[in-house]
């Protein structure tokens, strides 16, 4: 069923009794041309673009839980392409362009909202760094505006400009950045892939790989063996565990990141704002809740929950930036598992196993990458060569010294 104003009217007039499920619940087949492990945003987007761009429709997405149960449904919904390094900017800008046409492409309302992303700066050195990043963005054709304090005040008068410990000096604004409703992205890609023939197999865990003479033959699952010509891994926080099943040890650690939502309040924040003197970012959802987050919890874990000291730290960041937030009650909080790479940048590459492909290392910035990641991973799986905007996301870059260290933090995954 094509979603349109006409289908909406027709169903409204017939008591909403004829809506169809958004995707099928097929039994797994014995063999697929491509199996994607992980039904998060990246896995579902990959399956969709395999069908859409390359005509490969004999594809299954194998998801151990339900669609949207991973990070794709747990993130703080921020999308942007305000990167510095040449290995990153074209990729994230391609993703931004795909977001801009996504809803028409997949016929699904993902609530893409280009409300602007404003990074605040609090020192001369930080302003210099923002000017450099803004210039790098503009050289790549990405929108960027360096703002002074008064320009920031006009956008966000509720910030603490009076007696802040770290006074706001200005900011870097990407007007085309913003938010996208996270779980709608999972549902939209699932439905669009399904319409092109992709099988979405939920509640089916991959428990092993069948590899013979270095060649991938398929996946062992809780619903039996499923043969595959090619297998793509897109399991985010579970990357190390799933890769270990294929005998691989990757430069990735798993850490928890928490998200927070307040009670609904009247419209207040109409952009995304990030604090530059601590780790705190905030936006307001269409339901009125303030959606915010901060640092990862500082230890390795596969548990999708966080700890109180990090909650306190995040809330302190919020209080330092906009003290009136202290009067708002927090409604909900949850955690997700981040696949933290050693340089903070992702990996989209082949692996030493013939027919096994890797998509990982998204740290806590992979939601914004969803469309481009799916696009480029599908390209790699279909052609066995990297897409040009993802060519630097090689697995061997850590061995060859070609790290893409966007933050300049070195091999410290907890800092990226
Ligand atoms: C609190 C939080 C806030 C974030 N905020 C942002 C943000 O504002 N902007 C941004 O760009 N990014 C953000 N991120 C990061 C972003 O959500 C992730 O980088 C991205 O969603 C990861 O890709 P994915 O959607 O494919 O992951 P997931 O949705 O986690 O998909 C991976 C899937 O693999 C499945 N899986 C794992 N093991 C197996 C197995 N053995 N067999 C079958 N299936 C398996 C999992 O169940 C899961 O559904 C945030 C993340 C969190 C947790």
């Amino acid at each position: 069923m094509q979603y349109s104003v006409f289908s909406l009217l027709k169903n409204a007039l017939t008591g909403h009794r004829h809506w169809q499920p958004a995707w099928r619940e097929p039994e797994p087949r014995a063999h697929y041309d491509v199996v994607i492990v992980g039904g998060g945003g990246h896995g579902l987007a990959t399956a969709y673009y395999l069908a859409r761009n390359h005509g490969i429709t004999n594809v299954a997405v194998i998801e151990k839980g339900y669609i949207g149960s991973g990070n794709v449904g747990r993130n703080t919904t921020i999308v942007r392409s305000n990167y510095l390094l040449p290995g990153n900017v074209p990729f994230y800008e391609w993703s931004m362009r795909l977001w801009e046409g996504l809803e028409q492409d997949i016929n699904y309302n993902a609530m893409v909202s280009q409300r602007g992303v404003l990074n605040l700066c609090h020192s001369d050195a930080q302003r210099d760094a923002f000017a450099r990043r803004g210039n790098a963005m503009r050289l790549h054709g990405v929108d960027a505006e360096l703002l002074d304090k008064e320009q920031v005040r006009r956008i966000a008068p509720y910030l603490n400009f009076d007696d802040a410990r770290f006074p706001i000096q200005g900011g870097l604004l990407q007007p085309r950045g913003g938010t996208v409703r996270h779980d709608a992205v999972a549902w939209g890609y699932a439905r669009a892939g399904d319409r092109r023939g992709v099988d979405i197999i939920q509640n089916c865990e991959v428990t092993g790989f069948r590899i013979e003479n270095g060649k991938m033959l398929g996946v062992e699952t809780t619903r039996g063996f499923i043969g595959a010509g090619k297998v793509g891994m897109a399991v985010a926080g579970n990357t190390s565990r799933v890769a270990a099943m294929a005998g691989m040890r990757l430069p990735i650690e798993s850490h928890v990141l928490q998200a927070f939502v307040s009670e609904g309040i009247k419209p207040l924040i109409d952009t995304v704002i990030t604090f530059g003197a601590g780790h705190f970012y905030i936006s307001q959802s269409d339901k009125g809740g303030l959606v915010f987050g901060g640092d990862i919890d500082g230890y390795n874990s596969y548990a999708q929950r966080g700890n109180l000291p990090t909650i306190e730290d995040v809330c302190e960041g919020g209080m330092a930036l906009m003290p009136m937030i202290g009067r708002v009650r927090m409604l909900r909080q949850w955690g997700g598992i981040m696949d933290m790479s050693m340089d903070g940048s992702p990996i989209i590459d082949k692996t030493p196993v013939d027919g096994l492909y890797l998509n990982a290392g998204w740290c806590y910035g992979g939601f914004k990458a969803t469309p481009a990641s799916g696009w480029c991973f599908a390209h790699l799986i279909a052609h066995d060569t990297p897409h040009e905007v993802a060519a630097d996301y090689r697995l061997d870059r850590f061995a060859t010294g070609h790290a893409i260290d966007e933050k300049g933090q070195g091999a410290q995954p907890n800092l990226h």
Side-chain angles (χ1 to χ4, degrees):
M1 178 190 287
Q2 180 78 7
Y3 292 161
S4 69
V5 67
F6 302 109
S7 64
L8 196 61
L9 270 175
K10 189 174 148 214
N11 281 286
L13 294 173
T14 53
H16 292 292
R17 287 189 303 273
H18 303 295
W19 290 110
Q20 300 297 313
W23 57 85
R24 298 162 296 129
E25 290 279 356
E27 283 301 311
R29 287 183 223 154
H31 189 275
Y32 290 92
D33 293 340
V34 180
V35 161
I36 303 294
V37 187
H42 293 232
L44 292 164
T46 304
Y48 169 65
Y49 291 121
L50 276 169
R52 176 193 184 276
N53 295 354
H54 308 285
I56 302 173
T57 55
N58 186 19
V59 176
V61 177
I62 312 285
E63 167 53 48
K64 74 172 176 181
Y66 59 89
I67 294 305
S69 56
N71 293 339
V72 68
R74 291 168 180 267
N75 61 68
T76 39
T77 76
I78 301 167
V79 301
R80 57 186 173 85
S81 56
N82 54 0
Y83 280 72
L84 170 73
L85 298 181
N88 280 328
V89 190
F91 174 83
Y92 285 100
E93 177 57 11
W94 177 231
S95 210
M96 185 56 77
R97 289 182 195 278
L98 289 173
W99 283 122
E100 287 171 333
L102 183 76
E103 293 165 306
Q104 288 71 27
D105 184 24
I106 62 175
N107 180 231
Y108 204 90
N109 179 8
M111 296 166 69
V112 176
S113 167
Q114 292 181 284
R115 58 184 68 182
V117 172
L118 174 59
N119 302 144
L120 298 173
C121 63
H122 308 262
S123 68
D124 292 344
Q126 201 170 26
R127 193 196 301 109
D128 288 351
F130 280 9
R132 181 167 171 247
R133 179 147 58 95
N135 286 337
M137 290 164 63
R138 290 161 83 128
L139 284 171
H140 281 94
V142 184
D143 57 320
E145 291 172 24
L146 195 63
L147 307 183
D148 63 22
K149 181 178 166 182
E150 288 314 310
Q151 288 170 304
V152 171
R153 194 198 293 269
R154 279 200 287 279
I155 293 176
Y158 46 81
L159 298 178
N160 186 1
F161 291 95
D162 303 329
D163 56 1
R165 167 116 187 254
F166 304 101
I168 296 166
Q169 290 200 7
L172 182 65
L173 176 70
Q174 184 184 18
R176 283 165 60 245
T179 60
V180 182
R181 178 166 174 182
H182 50 192
D183 37 21
V185 173
W187 300 329
Y189 272 123
R191 173 174 170 274
D194 176 90
R195 292 173 91 198
R196 289 179 182 262
V198 171
D199 280 359
I200 293 163
I201 319 281
Q202 302 184 78
N203 301 310
C204 178
E205 181 170 357
V206 170
T207 52
F209 295 105
R210 196 175 289 179
I211 301 167
E212 268 177 32
N213 300 324
K215 167 109 184 74
M216 177 59 65
L217 299 182
V219 292
E220 309 285 355
T221 79
T222 46
R223 291 169 70 175
F225 174 74
I226 301 173
K230 295 180 174 183
V231 174
M233 264 176 61
V235 291
N238 284 283
T239 298
S240 316
R241 289 207 284 212
V242 177
M245 297 175 196
M248 293 191 298
R249 189 153 182 263
L250 298 175
I252 286 179
E253 285 183 11
S254 290
H255 289 253
V256 183
L257 178 68
Q258 304 187 56
F260 310 90
V261 180
S262 78
E263 62 187 327
I265 58 173
K266 288 189 176 171
L268 172 72
I269 303 177
D270 58 1
T271 55
V272 177
I273 298 184
T274 72
F275 184 31
H279 205 156
F280 178 81
Y281 40 89
I282 188 163
S283 65
Q284 187 168 16
S285 80
D286 291 359
K287 284 191 287 187
L290 301 180
V291 180
F292 55 97
D295 258 329
I296 53 176
D297 287 31
Y299 57 93
N300 298 16
S301 175
Y302 291 107
Q304 293 189 119
R305 58 175 182 270
N307 281 275
L308 281 170
T310 306
I311 299 180
E312 194 176 11
D313 181 68
V314 171
C315 292
E316 280 171 356
M319 289 292 289
L321 184 66
M322 38 197 297
M324 52 70 167
I325 201 176
R327 310 224 0 229
V328 178
R329 277 170 297 194
M330 198 162 84
L331 202 63
R332 298 187 285 134
Q333 163 274 353
W334 61 85
I337 316 165
M338 309 290 82
D339 40 333
M340 306 298 295
S341 67
M342 294 297 138
D343 60 359
S345 296
I347 300 161
I348 302 178
D349 204 355
K350 295 195 262 190
T351 71
V353 178
D354 186 15
L356 178 61
Y357 302 78
L358 176 65
N359 177 315
W362 295 101
C363 302
Y364 46 77
F367 176 64
K368 70 176 97 69
T370 305
S373 165
W375 186 285
C376 295
F377 200 35
H379 179 100
L380 176 74
I381 293 170
H383 299 295
D384 273 316
T385 53
H387 189 279
E388 58 180 352
V389 298
D392 288 353
Y393 295 153
R394 298 170 58 110
L395 176 56
D396 68 2
R397 70 175 185 268
F398 304 97
T400 59
H402 293 89
I404 311 169
D405 190 0
E406 178 78 25
K407 282 196 178 176
Q409 305 275 33
Q412 289 255 119
N414 58 314
L415 296 180
H416 285 293

